[in-house]
Each structure stands twice: as C-alpha cells, then as structure tokens.
Amino acid sequence: MSDLGAGMTVANMTVDGDRLWDSLMQMAAIGPGVAGGNNRQTLTDADAEGRTLFQRWSEEAGMTMGLDRMGSMFMRHEGTEPDLDPVYIGSHLDTQPTGGKYDGVLGVLAGLEVIRSIRDLGLRTRRPIVVTNWTNEEGARFAPAMLASGVFAGVLTEDYANSRKDAEGKSFGEELDRIGWRGTEAPGDRKIHAMFELHIEQGPILEAEGRQIGVVTHGQGLWWLQVTLTGKDAHTGSTPMAMRVDAGRGMAQMIEAVHRIAMDHQPAAVGAVGQAGFWPNSRNVIPGRAVFCVDFRSPDLGKLTSMRSRFEVEATEIASGLGLEIEIEPVGHFDPVTFDADLADSIRAASERLGYSHMDIVSGAGHDACWIAKVAPTVMIMCPCKDGLSHNEAEEITPDWARAGTDVLLHAVLDAAEV
Ligand code: HGY
Ligand code: MN
Ligand code: MN
Ligand code: MN
C-alpha cells in the first residue's frame, strides 16, 4: 500500500468532509426554497446555475465534460488506461419544489469529492472515472421520474422525453433548449464498467438501527397512474344533489381506495396520491374535472401489479357509480430492481475496512441507478437522514453521515477503477 502521508494508506484513506459539506452548502444556496430547503426544479434557471457551478468545480478538479441530448452531464477524470470502460458515479442535482438540500445532490457532490480526494492523495486509477448529473431525476416538473437515465438505459425514447409537459404546458425539449444545456451525444452511447450512486435513505431505517451505511441490494418498483375524471361543472347552490356529476367526490373516494389497496398488500407495499387538482377549482362550482396521480410501489412485482389492477377495477366502479367518465394513463413505471451482488460486497468490505457500521437495505425511493442497473453493473450506497424525512425542506443529514458515505464511495470506486 503506498503511504499517502500522515499515516494514511489506501486502506484507511478518507475524503475531506469539510470540503464536501462546504460544497453541499454552496449548492444549497442555488434555488433556495421558502423553508430552508431547495426549489431547484429541473431545467429552470436555478437548475442551469447549479449545473454551471458543478461544471466549474469539476473542471477545476481536472475533469472534462460530456453532455448528451437529454442534458445529462458526464464529468470525466482520465485514467492511466483511457480505453478501459470507466467507473461511473452518478445522481441528480434537480430537486422537488419543496425539496431538501441533499436528495440527489449528495451523490453528485460526493462524486466530485472522490475525484478531489484522489488528486489530493496523488493517486492514479487505471480506469477513467465519470461523475454524472442525470437530468430530471425527480419527475416533479416533467413526469416521469428518472427521465434522462431512462432514455440512457433505452427504456424511454428521446421523443417521449422531449414531449413531456409541465403544469404550464412548457415541454421538456423547449426548456432544455431554453437553458442551453442540450448536448450532442446520443443518450446511452457510453460503456459503463460499474456505476455507484450514494444517496440519502429518505426513510427512517438506518437512523433507527444506528447504522452509518446502507448497502442497497434492491430497489422497489413503481407505478404512476394519471387519472382524469370528467363530470359536469354546475352551481354548488342551486343544483339538486341528485343531479350532480361531481368529479371531486370521485377523486376523494379513489384516493381513499389507493390507501386501502396499499394496506391490503402489506407488508412491503405503499400507495398515495401526491398531486391532485380540480377544474374549474372555484368555491361555488361543482368540479367538472378532477386530475390526480397515483403512486404505488413495492419490492414485490406481484404486489405492484396487483395494486395497479385492483385500483383500475375499483376506480372504474366508483366512476360508473357517480356517472363520471374516467381515463387512467400510466405515466411512470419501473419493475423492482436487484443491484449487483459483487458491487454490494465491495460496499460491505469498504465499510468494514473503514470501521463503519452497515446493513443491507431496500431502497424505498426510485433512483437513476434503478435504470442504469439495466445496462451496467450498478449498486447504491445510502446514508441515514434525520427522522427519515425527505421531499420536505426540513430534510437533514449530519456532516459525519455525509463523509462516511463518501469515504465508502471512495474506497469502492477505487477498488473498481483499480488504483
Ligand atoms: O420518486 C422517487 O422515488 C424519486 O425521488 N424520484
Ligand atoms: Mn433522489
Ligand atoms: Mn427525490
Ligand atoms: Mn413492468
């Protein structure tokens, strides 16, 4: 083992946790939320500003940028054998409208910190290392989530992605061109030796179990179903109850059905409706239209499929009972994912080498790694987050959790990139 100074060897080297935390706080200042978190939604000016900062930092760390036609950023640190397939580290810089400072951002800036540390330590890897910012992981502004990584993995088309519209009717393609971040590279035209994603858990398990590292063996699958109910808008005062065709009532009964169906599929099944709206949404008009999106998830494909089909049957019955027309459009889906077992072993070995407590865990949230696992050996590392809270501006982690996760990432990446 080469001596890296100050008693540090490759076996016990660590990253610069203060520098990582400082970068996280500088990125958090871009696209601030209203309650201490972030609103840096994909393809907004704030997203563009965050991309520019990440590009500058990466180039200062000796990396060169590749950019694909979905705007995904690939910052490459050269290896001693440039022709070898690179090791990728990736996540996302876009946030929810009321997002936290660490969801996705930790994984991208931890990748940057890995490169900064490799250079500080005077190490050279055989394989190149590429740190990636995947466009539109959140799917908050443009559904579905993990859009650009889905195109990269060949499961979604560029035309479909470019056509997706936000609530104001702007398309993904128009907005990507407007901020000037569309590259020329064909999405997916890259070979990946191994892909690592460090991410906050976004759930309560690691903190409750007192573990510093989550070794993510699987990710649960997802269905997003966009439901449109059409009734008849009418006066809330003068319309007799028997004459009403109330889309609002239909939505209310269906939202309750989502919860009931998820509870009927326990354990390991979840369901909710997070986005909903009435039209014309006026206090004294019976809503003629209701639109909402159902989110079902499970690590068990059978349960995931059963929840979707059960909902479709029950929603259709509710609609016909209320005289409503119903349209159900799938707008997001991926099957449960099994991550690479050998890479998971390297995460366990790195955690033990560094003396960090760890446990195997299934990811409750979807991540770009879930799609990339379709095209390359892929694994995730998780760090705890306070009270398991995420997709909330109060999302918090500790600098120690961030550094521990990044230390493990450093070791696992160096193992894969062959220092
Ligand atoms: O929806 C998800 O699980 C991810 O946060 N996009
Ligand atoms: Mn995320
Ligand atoms: Mn998220
Ligand atoms: Mn499927």
Side-chain angles (χ1 to χ4, degrees), residues 222-223 301 304-305 333-336:
L222 162 149
W223 274 112
L301 183 57
L304 185 65
T305 309
H333 169 59
F334 53 88
D335 286 346

Side-chain angles (χ1 to χ4, degrees), residues 17-355:
D18 293 340
R19 177 172 58 193
L20 169 64
W21 195 256
D22 177 62
S23 299
L24 284 165
M25 292 306 110
Q26 285 191 56
M27 184 60 76
I30 298 174
V34 295
N38 274 106
N39 179 7
R40 192 172 56 244
Q41 294 184 64
T42 197
L43 307 188
T44 58
D45 293 340
D47 181 28
E49 194 183 337
R51 287 164 169 266
T52 303
L53 178 60
F54 171 56
Q55 178 187 359
R56 176 167 65 79
W57 280 341
S58 299
E59 289 171 349
E60 286 166 357
M63 294 191 255
T64 52
M65 182 164 83
L67 193 64
D68 77 10
R69 292 197 292 256
M70 289 284 101
S72 292
M73 299 169 71
F74 303 97
M75 309 312 294
R76 180 185 173 107
H77 190 259
E78 205 44 88
T80 56
E81 298 180 46
D83 295 340
L84 290 179
D85 293 348
V87 172
Y88 281 67
I89 303 169
S91 200
H92 61 94
L93 292 173
D94 67 308
T95 76
Q96 287 284 331
T98 55
K101 299 192 281 286
Y102 312 98
D103 172 358
V105 185
L106 174 64
V108 176
L109 298 188
L112 170 64
E113 177 55 34
V114 162
I115 301 299
R116 285 168 164 172
S117 295
I118 284 173
R119 296 170 71 84
D120 288 351
L121 296 166
L123 298 173
R124 293 301 310 269
T125 57
R126 286 184 62 217
R127 294 181 181 280
I129 298 171
V130 176
V131 183
T132 304
N133 168 35
W134 298 106
T135 303
N136 190 33
E137 187 281 343
E138 288 296 355
R141 185 180 178 197
F142 302 101
M146 298 110 77
L147 186 54
S149 52
V151 173
F152 184 95
V155 289
L156 300 170
T157 67
E158 288 185 75
D159 287 348
Y160 175 74
N162 282 315
S163 71
R164 305 305 290 156
K165 290 205 181 336
D166 68 7
E168 292 165 15
K170 291 177 186 162
S171 76
F172 177 97
E174 288 160 357
E175 285 293 281
L176 181 59
D177 290 331
R178 182 187 65 81
I179 65 168
W181 273 92
R182 190 192 297 275
T184 54
E185 199 181 291
D189 187 19
R190 285 175 167 266
K191 290 206 181 323
I192 298 178
H193 174 68
M195 162 85 165
F196 296 86
E197 180 165 4
L198 168 63
H199 204 289
I200 64 172
E201 179 198 337
Q202 302 181 292
I205 298 168
L206 292 174
E207 186 182 36
E209 297 289 332
R211 305 296 172 86
Q212 294 160 295
I213 301 293
V215 182
V216 188
T217 55
H218 299 81
Q220 60 179 357
L222 162 149
W223 274 112
W224 277 1
L225 305 172
Q226 183 94 350
V227 181
T228 303
L229 300 177
T230 307
K232 187 172 174 40
D233 30 303
H235 199 298
T236 50
S238 53
T239 311
M241 291 303 277
M243 282 178 62
R244 298 181 181 210
V245 191
D246 184 344
R249 279 187 71 204
M251 180 161 89
Q253 291 179 23
M254 290 176 200
I255 290 175
E256 188 51 33
V258 168
H259 181 81
R260 183 170 15 87
I261 290 166
M263 294 312 289
D264 288 351
H265 283 79
Q266 293 307 304
V270 291
V273 170
Q275 185 187 56
F278 282 167
W279 188 89
N281 201 33
S282 169
R283 290 180 188 80
N284 44 6
V285 178
I286 297 164
R289 194 162 76 242
V291 182
F292 58 98
C293 190
V294 179
D295 181 321
F296 280 126
R297 307 198 194 198
S298 174
D300 177 317
L301 183 57
K303 288 189 176 184
L304 185 65
T305 309
S306 164
M307 287 195 285
R308 174 187 173 182
S309 45
R310 215 156 101 239
F311 174 79
E312 287 174 340
V313 168
E314 291 200 20
T316 306
E317 284 165 4
I318 291 168
S320 85
L322 296 174
L324 297 169
E325 285 170 38
I326 182 168
E327 185 200 336
I328 301 176
E329 180 198 1
V331 292
H333 169 59
F334 53 88
D335 286 346
V337 176
T338 301
F339 290 116
D340 185 89
D342 293 338
L343 293 179
D345 281 340
S346 77
I347 307 300
R348 295 186 193 97
S351 304
E352 275 149 30
R353 196 186 306 160
L354 289 155

